[in-house]
Amino acid sequence: MEDFVAIDDARTIPIEEYLGTIPSEGYRRAETSGLTDFALFFLDLMARNFRVSIEVPPVFVRTTSRVGAEVNPLGFIVVTAGMINHCLDAKWPQAYEILGNKAPAVVGENLVARLGMAWVVGHEFTHMFHFHHEVERRLGNKKSVQRAFEHDADLCATAGIFRLLQHMFGQVMSDTDIRRYASFVLFWIIRSIPDNNNGAGIHPSFSERFFHISLKLAILQENSSEIPDPNARHPRTIARIDAILEAAVACEHAYQQRNGFSGGSYFTEWRKYLSVNGHTSITRDWSKVSPWVQWLSGNQVDMPTSILDQRKIVLEERRAKKLKRKKQSLARVKNRPR
């Protein structure tokens, strides 16, 4: 979730009106129309896959060069013109250059751009159909709660992209190759977003986001007959992780070569992240938020805990804090000069 409140001349307008502001000469208007049509199609598909209880929201465009997206309180999704241009203009290699001849050969359209924009609006849609605003009203807007929301939105949008790619290529690509291609697509869109790597505020750094996106791509069930493996212990899941990681390493090397730097990468950040148990910190935050998401949205979510258990956890934390304050107070009294 972003906040676009600023003093500028930008307007929030329907997609059709925005398309009308793009010169008809050349291909830009057609490219943008294809991008937004694909995003709207993805929202419909995501609503069916997640069996959401709300209507698919309209999408509007904010006429600013800033790269971002948000949910408007009036119930629609806003993407900036900067985000649209980012998806259309960001440079990345052809999939076969990174993934080999098992990557899909797509002619005549920028599929990475379209899937990237779909992921962005899917992320914002998750904030809506998982009722994050209602959960926030109950739990407060603490940083840990906000980061849990972003974690949830990232992973639901990722699952949506994987299911879409299954729909598109399931008859011609293996399950592992679809996961590798999903990793390729999401790497290039998210990695190249400006100011996306510092982890400031409620949004995780790229290294943190892509760690969990990669893990999500590995543990997603191929179909309903597959036994869930959320802890990634089955040899099948471990093999998927290896394949996805190989693709991610190749993407990062290509990214560094294209941007003229070497040494250090988000893999270095991964090592730091794992060394301080960052990967378990965000999941602990999500485990506290997820029961409320499940209760309010009616959707099954990862790591569900009953509301009664959740309330028990909250009460235990409050008792522990109260006991700590009491001990500190007694210690001050005991040490007071007489």
Side-chain angles (χ1 to χ4, degrees):
M1 292 181 283
E2 296 283 357
D3 181 6
F4 297 146
V5 177
I7 300 174
D8 58 24
D9 297 326
R11 298 181 299 138
T12 300
I13 56 179
I15 289 174
E16 294 77 12
E17 184 176 344
Y18 175 70
L19 291 173
T21 67
I22 303 173
S24 58
E25 298 83 7
Y27 300 102
R28 191 66 171 194
R29 183 185 291 182
E31 288 177 336
T32 305
S33 179
L35 188 83
T36 54
D37 285 348
F38 193 89
L40 295 175
F41 162 75
F42 177 69
L43 290 181
D44 285 330
L45 184 65
M46 200 171 174
R48 292 195 297 272
N49 287 342
F50 282 87
R51 298 181 176 88
V52 306
S53 59
I54 65 171
E55 295 292 326
V56 174
V59 178
F60 284 69
V61 179
R62 178 83 170 160
T63 58
T64 174
S65 60
R66 179 181 174 185
V67 178
E70 69 171 355
V71 174
N72 186 281
L74 296 179
F76 55 86
I77 294 171
V78 180
V79 297
T80 65
M83 177 62 79
I84 291 173
N85 292 332
H86 165 71
C87 289
L88 290 173
D89 296 336
K91 305 301 181 184
W92 41 72
Q94 294 295 317
Y96 70 82
E97 296 178 74
I98 304 298
L99 305 177
N101 59 12
K102 293 184 179 180
V106 181
V107 179
E109 65 181 34
N110 191 340
L111 185 57
V112 174
R114 292 184 177 190
L115 290 166
M117 178 56 69
W119 186 87
V120 168
V121 297
H123 175 107
E124 301 304 329
F125 189 27
T126 302
H127 287 311
M128 300 177 75
F129 70 72
H130 271 176
F131 292 84
H132 288 167
H133 60 292
E134 288 292 333
V135 178
E136 181 182 348
R137 194 164 62 85
R138 288 165 168 78
L139 300 182
N141 62 350
K142 296 178 292 186
K143 183 177 179 180
S144 60
V145 173
Q146 296 291 337
R147 284 172 62 84
F149 292 158
E150 296 305 315
H151 176 77
D152 182 31
D154 277 358
L155 300 194
C156 285
T158 297
I161 291 296
F162 174 66
R163 297 305 176 199
L164 173 58
L165 290 174
Q166 280 187 314
H167 173 76
M168 296 174 67
F169 300 117
Q171 300 300 315
V172 295
M173 292 176 66
S174 72
D175 173 69
T176 298
D177 289 335
I178 290 174
R179 293 172 198 267
R180 281 164 51 84
Y181 184 65
S183 175
F184 168 85
V185 168
L186 296 178
F187 175 94
W188 288 100
I189 285 294
I190 305 171
R191 182 72 159 113
S192 55
I193 291 176
D195 301 320
N196 184 50
N197 299 306
N198 56 17
I202 63 172
H203 290 89
S205 65
F206 171 77
S207 59
E208 181 177 345
R209 297 181 92 166
F210 204 68
F211 173 87
H212 290 287
I213 286 170
S214 299
L215 181 59
K216 184 68 173 180
L217 285 172
I219 66 175
L220 281 166
Q221 296 165 261
E222 181 178 0
N223 51 52
S224 58
S225 66
E226 182 179 303
I227 298 174
D229 183 25
N231 296 317
R233 293 175 178 170
H234 193 281
R236 175 191 58 236
T237 311
I238 294 172
R240 289 172 180 169
I241 290 174
D242 290 342
I244 291 167
L245 182 59
E246 181 186 27
V249 169
C251 285
E252 176 66 12
H253 287 163
Y255 179 85
Q256 290 194 15
Q257 290 174 0
R258 283 173 169 260
N259 289 276
F261 69 91
S262 61
S265 67
Y266 72 88
F267 297 111
T268 304
E269 296 301 319
W270 273 11
R271 286 194 292 271
K272 294 178 183 177
Y273 181 61
L274 294 171
S275 68
V276 296
N277 294 320
H279 59 302
T280 58
S281 176
I282 187 63
T283 53
R284 282 198 302 270
D285 290 340
W286 171 236
S287 70
K288 295 176 182 179
V289 171
S290 60
W292 295 92
V293 171
Q294 181 165 300
W295 178 47
L296 290 168
S297 69
N299 291 125
Q300 182 73 27
V301 300
D302 293 337
M303 295 185 297
T305 307
S306 73
I307 293 296
L308 289 177
D309 288 342
Q310 175 63 26
R311 288 175 178 169
K312 182 179 178 181
I313 292 171
V314 172
L315 287 173
E316 287 175 351
E317 289 178 346
R318 288 177 179 172
R319 289 192 192 102
K321 289 180 181 178
K322 187 176 180 179
L323 181 61
K324 182 179 180 181
R325 288 195 298 267
K326 185 176 180 179
K327 289 181 177 179
Q328 290 172 339
S329 178
L330 289 172
R332 285 195 295 270
V333 171
K334 184 177 179 180
N335 296 326
R336 185 180 300 165
R338 298 182 182 277

